[in-house]
Amino acid sequence: GSKKKHQIYTFDARHKGVDFFLNKRSNINADKEADNYTPNVWERDQDLREMRSHVNKDFEKKYAAGLEQYLKGNFRESVQYLKEADEIMIENVVYDGRIDDVNAMGQKLLDANSNDEEVCHLRREIGDGPCQTL
């Protein structure tokens, strides 16, 4: 929490495969950082940066375009952009190579048309939740 009022941000974060730096900070220092929150924490904090390493500019552009079309009521266009954003997310996680389950499935996860139950389950898990939901 914070004593100051702030805008709320949300993003699809990952914890699997992340080497957290928080454990290397004292509780006092972690609390000080939380008390001195500023919006640039999203670029500065090592843990947050690692947790969203699967998010790149290509994803952000497609997601923003999909959200914009969704808010305008252009649902067909929105779905296309969001599907593309989800595919970018899945590719990023697969190519990153940090998650053992993903590494075991490898290239199979890049086939959006796969009907294999395990592939579909893992694609939903590593894809972007909002893209899949909207």
Side-chain angles (χ1 to χ4, degrees):
S2 176
K3 295 174 187 171
K4 300 176 189 173
K5 183 177 176 181
H6 297 283
Q7 291 183 353
I8 296 176
Y9 297 88
T10 183
F11 63 88
D12 203 349
R14 301 268 187 252
H15 67 278
K16 286 185 179 179
V18 173
D19 179 25
F20 287 102
F21 298 95
L22 181 60
N23 297 329
K24 298 171 186 149
R25 285 183 240 165
S26 70
N27 288 342
I28 292 171
N29 286 340
D31 288 342
K32 281 182 186 176
E33 287 183 27
D35 288 340
N36 295 318
Y37 172 86
T38 62
N40 73 353
V41 70
W42 303 101
E43 284 80 36
R44 187 185 76 223
D45 185 273
Q46 289 175 304
D47 291 327
L48 292 175
R49 288 177 40 186
E50 276 296 302
M51 290 174 67
R52 65 174 300 187
S53 64
H54 60 287
V55 176
N56 65 17
K57 294 292 182 195
D58 291 338
F59 169 82
E60 289 176 339
K61 287 178 188 175
K62 292 291 183 182
Y63 182 83
L67 181 58
E68 180 181 352
Q69 292 305 313
Y70 180 85
L71 294 173
K72 289 180 177 179
N74 300 328
F75 301 119
R76 287 190 181 143
E77 293 85 354
S78 173
V79 166
Q80 186 57 41
Y81 282 117
L82 294 173
K83 282 183 179 181
E84 290 174 24
D86 192 43
E87 287 302 316
I88 292 168
M89 175 77 61
I90 292 168
E91 289 173 7
N92 290 344
V93 174
V94 168
Y95 292 139
D96 189 43
R98 296 186 195 193
I99 304 173
D100 292 335
D101 295 349
V102 172
N103 294 339
M105 296 296 285
Q107 296 294 314
K108 293 178 186 178
L109 292 169
L110 300 178
D111 180 4
N113 298 315
S114 175
N115 292 325
D116 180 278
E117 186 176 326
E118 192 173 352
V119 170
C120 292
H121 171 76
L122 200 49
R123 282 179 59 82
R124 282 189 301 275
E125 187 177 308
I126 66 173
D128 183 65
C131 285
Q132 296 169 359
T133 305
L134 291 176

